[in-house]
Amino acid sequence: MSTAPKTWKEWEKPLIELEEALGKLQELANRATGTERDRLLEKIKGFEKRRDRYLDTKYHNLSAWEEVLLARAEPRPYTLDYINALFRDFIELQGDRRHGPDNAILGGPAFFNGQRVMVVGHQKGRTISERTHRNFAMSRPEGYRKAIRLFEMADRFNLPVISFIDTPAADPSVESESRGISEAIAASMLSMFELRVPTIAVVIGEGGSGGAIGIGIGNKVLMMEHAIYSVIPPEGCAAILWRAPERGAEAADALRLTSRSALELGLADEIIPEPRGGAHRDPAVAAESVGAAIQMHLDQLCKMSPDALKQHRYERFRSVDGLREASPSDLPLGK
Amino acid sequence: MSTAPKTWKEWEKPLIELEEALGKLQELANRATGTERDRLLEKIKGFEKRRDRYLDTKYHNLSAWEEVLLARAEPRPYTLDYINALFRDFIELQGDRRHGPDNAILGGPAFFNGQRVMVVGHQKGRTISERTHRNFAMSRPEGYRKAIRLFEMADRFNLPVISFIDTPAADPSVESESRGISEAIAASMLSMFELRVPTIAVVIGEGGSGGAIGIGIGNKVLMMEHAIYSVIPPEGCAAILWRAPERGAEAADALRLTSRSALELGLADEIIPEPRGGAHRDPAVAAESVGAAIQMHLDQLCKMSPDALKQHRYERFRSVDGLREASPSDLPLGK
Amino acid sequence: MRLGAKSKTPTFSDAFLQCARCKKTLFRREFEANLSVCPYCSHHHRLSAAQRIAITFDVDSFVELDSDLASDDPLSFPEYSEKLAGAVAKSDRLDGIVCGTATIGKLPVSIAVSDFGFMGGSMGRVAGEKITRTLERGADRGIPSIIFCASGGARMQEGLLSLMQMAKTTAAVERCRSAGTPYIAVFTDPTMAGVLASYASIADVILAEPRALIGFAGARVSKQAQVVKAPDDFQTSEFLLKHGMIDRIVPRKELRDTLESLVALLGGGK
Amino acid sequence: MRLGAKSKTPTFSDAFLQCARCKKTLFRREFEANLSVCPYCSHHHRLSAAQRIAITFDVDSFVELDSDLASDDPLSFPEYSEKLAGAVAKSDRLDGIVCGTATIGKLPVSIAVSDFGFMGGSMGRVAGEKITRTLERGADRGIPSIIFCASGGARMQEGLLSLMQMAKTTAAVERCRSAGTPYIAVFTDPTMAGVLASYASIADVILAEPRALIGFAGARVSKQAQVVKAPDDFQTSEFLLKHGMIDRIVPRKELRDTLESLVALLGGGK
Ligand SMILES: [Zn+2]
Ligand SMILES: [Zn+2]
């Protein structure tokens, strides 16, 4: 476990070499003619097959820790990438009516396949200045309070809510505590439970504990294939349990934080498959899959009455851990 | 008008002299015997009559400006005085869940004549340090947001709302503006319009513009005899209109800010009579009158259904200015 | 309709005028084509209600309502009747609020536009009544309401009756909420005091034009109360955005499109 | 009931103990008569769930429910089974939350008390379930719910299942709101992280004992994230009161009366 990678780029190394080789072959092929050209094209096909095989093998067998690194990778599509690809006429509304704007959570009404919806999501940044501007997608209390405003508006105007989750955690600074980050997260969840419109939460990257579930109360909770969802960052878990933050890979395994685990545990409703090699290799295809999944669930949910939607959401989270009807005999330690 | 008093103490001067004389007579009478004693007691009676006559005459004929000065007088009973006199088991709840406590508006649940109610009111201070602590009863946004919490709680738990109004104005500082004092006042009014429990607002002293009406959306709006209710402080009005803040007395007249004017204009529902010479001369009697008035209106309102209460409040403020059904012919300038 | 019969832009001569902010000389034609925004410093000059309606809503879609509601002088307040008569004569209107119905992107909306030129857009009984009717029309007809704010605050010459307009208009906002009809406010220069502290601040969506003056307390009151020094952008659109009180600052040339999208997105009724 | 069969107070000897804060030596009898509050520095020492129930609710009124719900190890998390077995053995209880019904001032209430002694009061599936059932009982029976919080946060050994308890318990708070039944939370030392950021912070009324540690982020995380230096009272009851997040700080000896009044005042059901 001491050989656990530190970044997703480590396992992309062979890939980069392969693709460099591919590039050179393509150049040669472009200049070649006749059988030489045919030979080169054949070789290219072979290399492409090897690349695809590598991607297939690797990306279907990532360790939990590798999934963590991948979920955090900068080239992955972020909330605004999905909004741009899938939504039309998005109008960001910024006011929390309390303190100020929050750039780590954004939201507003938009058209999704012609349907009026409210979209809310964490937003990461790619460049250093973007990341700072977005506070690394760590929302402060005002982000959740803005989200509450948008949820309530969605309820009044009958707009389904789509939320995109992608945050390492809520902002844990002194300022955030001063303004009640805990209350803001709890109140945001409470507000989502009160809604009488469909809510769909999509974990697109990092589902980081309270900061994530704060906008995650969906009638349906979907996860991208390479997204994670965890009660604590694995490094933090390792630090607390073993006083060894470097044992994050072990903690990642133990925490069962991958999309597959979440599905198995019944905590996610669907995994959205990503293109070969991850969403960042083909964001357009990734967005298409996300859009299709949202549309499918939206169609189902829109058939339900407002009261039924609220009750459905309650039932979903009430029963999610299988304990609702638990009696002593259900549980190993029960007497 | 240049001889307008600067403080309510000016017209109490003759009174103070009278009462000093009374005190001396009483002392003499205590030491005297026989006819001398009878003579002194007779004299005392005479002095008391004179005092009462002075109080009756003066306090039934105060100018608008004198009403302003009296409404602001420190010995007048404040919200906590009424709470202590009329309510039992008052538990102040301080959190606005956003920024911090506000000492200019306080509130919490209490028993009123055995009935569970929510009481909210502006609170002034008497000593310099109390006044500073209470921010001169000028509430900041958090005061109104705390009030909203209490109103919503009252609605959930079916507690009638009693609000006591006594503020020169909402706090106009840079900090208040930063945290949205305007939004807070408006949202507080909005929240009161949403309530499905009885609401009774009592203007006990200064009803200072937006700061006052922010917690003033009562099914019934009562005013103490010597309370005022105004869109702007008369000094401010004079400053804007005539660039002469010293002409406050004139502005007070023009603004029609006395309880009698408010009743005549249909903007107050009842005037609560004060003891001879004002509430401060006998706070216990004043509180008794306030309590009786609240109880009477509460009894009436409690007969109404939750929906009817909300509708009643809407109708009251919708129609308060007589314009609802206005057509051109109703108005002098109409064509 | 007597919309803007006598409305004026800052004058210099017939063909030229001077920017109120940067003082540069501007061609009137260019200036008006640019929606009265200075091409040099992008200062958004005040618009009359008529101009605002013309540049915002679908051509010829505006139907004015309640134009015959006239302010009067309920308290016999000194000098008020004269001032009112003057404002009426100057504007050829009976009040500073112009309201009615219109369409935007072909969708029906209930609208009100405040004209700062009419006694500083101050809110008396009639202004409050027109705002209230606008919001109620939105609620009753199941269509969005759009209000352009421009006001110094409550009209003190109507005393407590003006203060009551804060409550009355707020009650009307509650009707929109109950009906599930959207209410969009646009803060233009200036949006102050009793207007800001009532119906304006509790709109579902709040847009503001750049650098508009927006605040609770008049500059004088505010200065007296200042313990903390006011920041340079105090009581501007930018200050309010920074403090979460509004949703977007929208340059005038994008305002129409933004409103059109919002109306389409937030829809009408449940 | 196995309430507090093995509960302990800070030991020194049988007759004496040492204040955890000022380190003064205290007579155990006096200390316990004083509700485990130091008579010198008024430090409020932690109480076991059994002690808490004994000093708060009407004598013999507590009926424990759901005591047979036992934590298990759904993820086969390293070392968790052993830790859990240890906690169970030490406490002779199956989980850190003790819940059921009781009366206070003769009025019925649904209650839950967290015992920090059981794995730091951390919230796993069973703790979340017991909190949820407590709130649902309040809603279903139309009686107030009272929850004494004491927790380091979510129990990470149950992974995402623990995180889901934040949502589940919040859903239960929503049930109380819909039913119109009051929910009162009391923050005791410590109330942290996943517990604070879910059901704890959205109680109708929040009381806290003096100087309790209350916060979102653990000290380590918080320190890393600090741009601003934390004030001395950071993450204490006093800090939260100062920022409007709680309603009152109530010394332990007044807590019972305050709760009794609140229950009588806020009543049950609509
Ligand atoms: Zn210019
Ligand atoms: Zn001590």
Side-chain angles (χ1 to χ4, degrees):
Chain A
M1 275 297 172
S2 58
T3 60
K6 287 192 168 35
T7 142
W8 66 286
K9 285 177 186 155
E10 290 183 30
W11 68 83
E12 295 242 335
K13 236 183 241 160
L15 211 58
I16 292 164
E17 283 160 17
L18 250 170
E19 297 205 314
E20 272 171 11
L22 257 172
K24 277 178 198 151
L25 281 171
Q26 194 65 57
E27 239 172 79
L28 289 171
N30 290 349
R31 274 177 293 164
T33 52
T35 53
E36 172 66 3
R37 185 182 154 86
D38 293 343
R39 198 185 59 83
L40 284 167
L41 288 176
E42 198 60 35
K43 203 162 180 183
I44 286 172
K45 253 189 213 158
F47 267 62
E48 283 177 343
K49 247 187 216 152
R50 268 174 63 194
R51 180 196 58 190
D52 291 351
R53 217 178 311 127
Y54 175 79
L55 283 171
D56 280 339
T57 318
K58 183 68 195 169
Y59 278 77
H60 285 129
N61 294 285
L62 292 175
S63 70
W65 176 246
E66 286 169 333
E67 294 283 14
V68 170
L69 297 177
L70 184 59
R72 294 174 182 167
E74 307 91 59
R76 276 187 77 78
Y78 295 153
T79 292
L80 274 175
D81 299 313
Y82 289 109
I83 290 179
N84 290 333
L86 297 170
F87 297 78
R88 205 170 50 75
D89 283 357
F90 171 64
I91 297 197
E92 188 184 349
L93 302 180
Q94 295 191 50
D96 71 329
R97 304 289 190 267
R98 293 295 177 267
H99 175 82
D102 181 80
N103 299 313
I105 287 184
L106 53 77
F111 285 108
F112 173 72
N113 295 340
Q115 183 175 1
R116 308 176 302 128
V117 300
M118 185 66 78
V119 54
V120 173
H122 300 103
Q123 181 61 38
K124 294 187 170 181
R126 288 208 175 82
T127 65
I128 290 179
S129 76
E130 270 176 17
R131 270 185 251 181
T132 310
H133 175 65
R134 296 293 178 187
N135 198 35
F136 307 91
M138 299 195 296
S139 182
R140 301 186 174 103
E142 38 278 16
Y144 295 97
R145 292 185 181 132
K146 171 173 65 183
I148 292 171
R149 261 196 73 222
L150 298 177
F151 296 148
E152 290 175 350
M153 218 187 286
D155 202 49
R156 276 206 295 284
F157 306 141
N158 200 21
L159 313 180
V161 172
I162 316 291
S163 65
F164 290 111
I165 293 172
D166 193 12
T167 179
D171 180 79
S173 66
V174 173
E175 288 180 336
S176 273
E177 296 255 15
S178 308
R179 297 198 294 273
I181 184 67
S182 300
E183 192 276 345
I185 289 173
S188 180
M189 286 193 288
L190 182 65
S191 152
M192 292 190 87
F193 276 114
E194 289 170 343
L195 299 180
R196 291 151 46 86
V197 292
T199 64
I200 296 173
V202 190
V203 187
I204 57 172
E206 272 186 285
S209 62
I213 203 163
I215 60 168
I217 310 300
N219 287 99
K220 296 289 173 181
V221 179
L222 320 180
M223 283 182 75
M224 296 293 284
E225 185 180 347
H226 298 299
I228 59 164
Y229 205 169
S230 183
V231 68
I232 186 170
E235 299 92 327
C237 178
I240 292 173
L241 279 187
W242 308 309
R243 297 177 189 281
E246 67 282 3
R247 288 168 65 185
E250 266 172 272
D253 265 333
L255 285 165
R256 308 273 302 277
L257 44 61
T258 64
S259 62
R260 210 177 311 156
S261 293
L263 190 75
E264 282 164 12
L265 289 163
L267 307 179
D269 297 291
E270 185 184 329
I271 295 179
I272 301 171
E274 299 193 14
R276 172 179 288 140
H280 60 290
R281 294 207 160 255
D282 200 337
V285 167
E288 214 171 285
S289 303
V290 169
I294 292 174
Q295 187 64 62
M296 195 265 283
H297 290 285
L298 204 52
D299 286 343
Q300 283 180 13
L301 293 170
C302 284
K303 287 178 196 147
M304 297 168 71
S305 74
D307 286 339
L309 283 163
K310 187 181 163 193
Q311 183 65 21
H312 172 269
R313 203 178 304 113
Y314 168 74
E315 292 293 340
R316 188 200 178 284
F317 284 92
R318 178 65 186 89
S319 310
V320 74
D321 54 18
L323 273 191
R324 186 173 199 173
E325 305 302 334
S327 69
S329 57
D330 297 339
L331 296 161
L333 283 176
K335 301 179 185 177
Chain B
M1 275 297 172
S2 58
T3 59
K6 287 191 168 35
T7 142
W8 65 287
K9 284 177 186 155
E10 290 184 29
W11 69 82
E12 295 241 337
K13 235 184 241 159
L15 212 58
I16 291 163
E17 284 160 16
L18 249 171
E19 298 205 315
E20 272 171 10
L22 256 173
K24 276 178 199 151
L25 281 172
Q26 194 63 58
E27 239 173 79
L28 288 172
N30 290 350
R31 274 177 293 165
T33 53
T35 52
E36 171 65 3
R37 186 182 153 85
D38 292 344
R39 199 185 58 82
L40 284 167
L41 289 177
E42 198 58 36
K43 204 164 180 184
I44 285 171
K45 253 189 213 157
F47 268 61
E48 282 177 345
K49 248 187 215 151
R50 269 174 62 195
R51 179 196 60 190
D52 293 350
R53 217 177 312 128
Y54 175 79
L55 284 172
D56 280 339
T57 318
K58 183 68 193 169
Y59 277 78
H60 285 129
N61 293 285
L62 292 175
S63 70
W65 176 246
E66 285 169 333
E67 294 283 14
V68 170
L69 296 178
L70 183 59
R72 293 175 181 167
E74 306 92 57
R76 275 187 78 79
Y78 294 154
T79 292
L80 274 176
D81 300 313
Y82 289 109
I83 290 179
N84 290 332
L86 297 170
F87 297 78
R88 205 169 51 74
D89 284 357
F90 170 64
I91 298 196
E92 187 183 350
L93 302 181
Q94 295 190 50
D96 72 329
R97 304 290 189 268
R98 293 294 178 266
H99 175 81
D102 181 79
N103 299 314
I105 287 184
L106 53 78
F111 285 108
F112 173 72
N113 296 339
Q115 184 175 1
R116 308 177 301 126
V117 301
M118 185 67 78
V119 53
V120 173
H122 300 102
Q123 181 62 38
K124 294 188 171 181
R126 289 208 175 81
T127 65
I128 290 179
S129 76
E130 270 176 17
R131 270 184 250 180
T132 311
H133 175 64
R134 296 293 177 185
N135 198 34
F136 307 90
M138 299 195 297
S139 183
R140 301 186 174 101
E142 39 278 16
Y144 295 98
R145 291 184 182 133
K146 172 173 64 183
I148 293 171
R149 261 196 73 223
L150 298 177
F151 296 149
E152 289 175 351
M153 219 187 283
D155 202 48
R156 276 205 296 284
F157 306 141
N158 200 21
L159 314 180
V161 172
I162 317 292
S163 65
F164 291 110
I165 293 171
D166 193 12
T167 179
D171 180 79
S173 67
V174 173
E175 288 180 339
S176 273
E177 296 255 14
S178 307
R179 296 198 294 273
I181 184 67
S182 300
E183 192 275 345
I185 289 172
S188 180
M189 288 192 287
L190 183 65
S191 152
M192 291 190 87
F193 275 114
E194 289 170 343
L195 299 181
R196 291 151 47 85
V197 291
T199 63
I200 296 174
V202 189
V203 188
I204 58 172
E206 272 186 285
S209 62
I213 203 163
I215 59 168
I217 309 301
N219 287 99
K220 296 290 171 179
V221 178
L222 319 180
M223 282 183 76
M224 296 293 285
E225 186 181 346
H226 298 298
I228 59 164
Y229 205 168
S230 183
V231 69
I232 186 170
E235 299 92 326
C237 179
I240 293 173
L241 278 188
W242 307 310
R243 295 177 192 281
E246 67 282 3
R247 287 169 65 186
E250 265 172 274
D253 265 333
L255 284 165
R256 309 272 303 276
L257 44 62
T258 65
S259 63
R260 211 176 311 156
S261 293
L263 189 75
E264 281 163 12
L265 289 163
L267 306 179
D269 297 292
E270 185 185 329
I271 295 179
I272 301 171
E274 298 193 14
R276 172 179 286 142
H280 61 290
R281 294 208 159 254
D282 200 337
V285 167
E288 215 172 284
S289 303
V290 169
I294 292 174
Q295 187 63 63
M296 195 265 284
H297 289 287
L298 205 52
D299 287 343
Q300 283 180 13
L301 293 170
C302 283
K303 287 178 195 146
M304 298 169 69
S305 74
D307 285 339
L309 283 163
K310 186 181 164 194
Q311 183 65 21
H312 172 269
R313 203 178 305 113
Y314 169 74
E315 291 294 340
R316 189 200 176 284
F317 285 91
R318 179 64 185 90
S319 309
V320 73
D321 55 17
L323 273 191
R324 187 172 198 173
E325 305 301 335
S327 70
S329 56
D330 297 338
L331 296 160
L333 283 175
K335 303 178 186 178
Chain C
M1 295 211 318
R2 287 179 307 273
L3 281 186
K6 298 188 184 179
S7 74
K8 287 213 164 194
T9 38
T11 56
F12 180 66
S13 78
D14 274 354
F16 299 92
L17 47 75
Q18 198 182 36
C19 171
R21 184 154 179 268
C22 72
K23 310 294 178 202
K24 286 218 170 72
T25 301
L26 313 172
F27 286 100
R28 181 179 299 278
R29 246 203 344 231
E30 264 180 37
F31 173 74
E32 286 175 356
N34 202 33
L35 311 177
S36 305
V37 175
C38 171
Y40 300 105
C41 72
S42 82
H43 179 64
H44 284 53
H45 293 75
R46 287 174 188 158
L47 295 179
S48 71
Q51 289 172 314
R52 178 67 70 179
I53 290 167
I55 67 168
T56 307
F57 299 99
D58 295 346
V59 176
D60 289 336
S61 72
F62 178 62
V63 177
E64 188 171 5
L65 295 166
D66 305 320
S67 64
D68 43 17
L69 272 184
S71 295
D72 59 356
D73 182 13
L75 309 187
S76 304
F77 198 99
E79 302 152 47
Y80 182 39
S81 283
E82 295 78 359
K83 267 185 202 159
L84 207 47
V88 169
K90 193 177 125 206
S91 67
D92 201 18
R93 303 196 53 83
L94 299 175
D95 185 76
I97 296 285
V98 180
C99 66
T101 58
T103 64
I104 182 162
K106 304 215 172 104
L107 295 169
V109 284
S110 176
I111 69 162
V113 180
S114 175
D115 205 318
F116 189 74
F118 193 104
M119 289 194 70
S122 61
M123 176 163 69
R125 280 199 301 165
V126 165
E129 181 67 21
K130 291 174 109 172
I131 293 292
T132 300
R133 291 187 185 185
T134 299
L135 292 164
E136 288 178 342
R137 262 193 292 274
D140 292 346
R141 301 188 186 181
I143 59 176
S145 303
I146 298 177
I147 299 181
F148 282 89
C149 306
S151 172
R155 187 174 296 169
M156 57 192 164
Q157 292 93 338
E158 296 184 22
L160 195 52
L161 283 161
S162 286
L163 188 68
M164 291 299 144
Q165 304 311 311
M166 291 175 66
K168 188 171 82 175
T169 54
T170 297
V173 175
E174 198 283 322
R175 291 283 122 158
C176 289
R177 297 227 173 177
S178 290
T181 56
Y183 156 38
I184 302 162
V186 185
F187 294 178
T188 74
D189 184 58
T191 298
M192 300 295 291
V195 164
L196 188 67
S198 62
Y199 67 90
S201 286
I202 47 178
D204 294 307
V205 175
I206 302 177
L207 311 176
E209 288 199 330
R211 281 196 297 255
L213 178 71
I214 307 167
F216 176 68
R220 203 174 19 79
V221 178
S222 200
K223 206 163 279 176
Q224 284 169 4
Q226 275 174 31
V227 183
V228 184
K229 198 190 160 304
D232 289 342
D233 63 355
F234 186 57
Q235 291 189 334
T236 62
S237 308
E238 290 70 21
F239 177 83
L240 267 81
L241 185 72
K242 199 192 292 173
H243 289 93
M245 297 303 149
I246 61 176
D247 292 308
R248 302 182 74 83
I249 294 174
V250 184
R252 192 170 287 167
K253 67 173 183 295
E254 297 168 21
L255 200 44
R256 186 203 153 87
D257 285 352
T258 303
L259 285 170
E260 189 177 321
S261 291
L262 279 170
V263 164
L265 283 165
L266 303 180
K270 282 194 173 172
Chain D
M1 297 212 317
R2 284 181 308 273
L3 282 185
K6 298 186 185 179
S7 75
K8 286 214 167 193
T9 38
T11 57
F12 180 64
S13 77
D14 275 355
F16 298 93
L17 47 75
Q18 199 182 35
C19 171
R21 184 154 178 268
C22 72
K23 308 296 179 202
K24 286 218 171 70
T25 301
L26 314 172
F27 285 100
R28 181 179 299 279
R29 246 203 343 233
E30 264 180 36
F31 174 75
E32 286 176 357
N34 202 33
L35 311 177
S36 305
V37 175
C38 171
Y40 300 105
C41 73
S42 82
H43 179 64
H44 285 53
H45 292 76
R46 285 173 188 159
L47 295 180
S48 71
Q51 290 172 313
R52 179 66 71 178
I53 289 168
I55 68 169
T56 306
F57 299 97
D58 295 347
V59 176
D60 289 336
S61 72
F62 177 63
V63 177
E64 187 170 5
L65 295 166
D66 305 319
S67 64
D68 43 15
L69 272 184
S71 295
D72 60 356
D73 180 15
L75 309 187
S76 304
F77 198 98
E79 302 152 48
Y80 181 40
S81 283
E82 295 77 359
K83 267 186 202 158
L84 206 47
V88 168
K90 193 177 124 207
S91 68
D92 201 18
R93 303 196 53 83
L94 298 175
D95 185 74
I97 296 285
V98 180
C99 66
T101 58
T103 65
I104 184 164
K106 304 215 172 106
L107 295 170
V109 284
S110 176
I111 69 163
V113 180
S114 175
D115 204 318
F116 189 74
F118 193 104
M119 290 193 70
S122 61
M123 178 163 69
R125 279 199 302 165
V126 164
E129 181 68 19
K130 290 175 109 173
I131 293 293
T132 299
R133 291 188 185 184
T134 298
L135 292 164
E136 287 179 342
R137 262 194 293 274
D140 292 345
R141 302 188 185 180
I143 59 177
S145 304
I146 298 177
I147 299 182
F148 282 88
C149 306
S151 173
R155 188 174 297 170
M156 57 192 164
Q157 291 93 339
E158 296 184 21
L160 196 52
L161 282 161
S162 286
L163 188 69
M164 290 299 143
Q165 304 311 312
M166 291 177 65
K168 188 171 82 177
T169 54
T170 298
V173 175
E174 198 283 323
R175 291 281 122 160
C176 289
R177 297 228 173 176
S178 290
T181 57
Y183 157 36
I184 302 162
V186 185
F187 293 178
T188 74
D189 184 58
T191 298
M192 300 296 291
V195 164
L196 188 67
S198 62
Y199 67 90
S201 286
I202 46 177
D204 294 306
V205 174
I206 302 178
L207 311 177
E209 289 199 329
R211 281 197 298 254
L213 178 71
I214 307 168
F216 176 68
R220 203 172 20 78
V221 178
S222 200
K223 206 163 280 177
Q224 284 170 3
Q226 276 173 31
V227 182
V228 183
K229 198 191 160 302
D232 289 341
D233 64 355
F234 185 56
Q235 292 189 334
T236 62
S237 308
E238 291 69 22
F239 178 83
L240 267 81
L241 185 71
K242 199 191 292 172
H243 289 93
M245 296 303 149
I246 61 176
D247 292 307
R248 301 182 75 83
I249 293 174
V250 185
R252 193 171 288 167
K253 66 173 183 296
E254 297 168 21
L255 200 44
R256 187 203 152 86
D257 285 351
T258 303
L259 285 170
E260 190 177 320
S261 292
L262 279 170
V263 164
L265 283 166
L266 302 181
K270 283 192 174 173

